[in-house]
Amino acid sequence: MSRITKIHNGNTLEACFHTDRSDEDRFGKKVGFRVTPPGKGHNLSENAVCYRSEDDAVDHLRGNRDWGIRMGPPGSTSGEIHVADILIDGVAR
C-alpha cells in the first residue's frame, strides 16, 4: 500500500480521504482521495477525480505530474490542494 505525504512548514501532511463532501467530482463521486487538475480555476471539485484507494491516487499522480491532491494533518478528512514536493512512499514524485 502506497502512502502520499509532504513536509510543509515542518509538519507532515498526508493525503486526505474525504468522507463527507457536498461537492461531486467529474464522475459524481463525493468520497475518496481527491486529485485535481492544474491551473487556476481548473482545480474545482467538478474537475477533480476521487479514488477509493491511495494506490489508485498514486498511479494517477505518477501519470499526471502536474496534478495535485488534497492534503492535511494526519487523520484529517479535508485539506488544501498540494502539487509540489509530494512524496510517494518517502520518495519525491
Side-chain angles (χ1 to χ4, degrees):
M1 179 176 177
S2 297
R3 187 165 174 239
I4 304 166
T5 58
K6 176 179 179 164
I7 304 300
H8 182 69
N9 295 331
N11 298 308
T12 299
L13 302 179
E14 296 179 348
C16 298
F17 186 88
H18 293 276
T19 58
D20 183 19
R21 284 199 57 99
S22 58
D23 302 329
E24 295 179 346
D25 74 358
R26 65 174 69 184
F27 302 109
K29 294 186 279 184
K30 295 183 178 185
V31 299
F33 294 98
R34 187 174 288 244
V35 296
T36 58
K40 187 173 182 158
H42 297 286
N43 59 358
L44 304 171
S45 290
E46 61 262 21
N47 295 328
V49 179
C50 289
Y51 290 101
R52 287 278 189 186
S53 83
E54 198 163 359
D55 288 331
D56 290 340
V58 163
D59 289 343
H60 186 103
L61 290 171
R62 284 183 172 147
N64 300 277
R65 299 184 62 78
D66 55 347
W67 281 55
I69 189 165
R70 291 202 173 265
M71 302 182 84
S76 66
T77 59
S78 183
E80 296 180 358
I81 299 168
H82 290 270
V83 177
D85 304 320
I86 292 174
L87 304 174
I88 298 173
D89 297 328
V91 178
R93 168 171 60 150

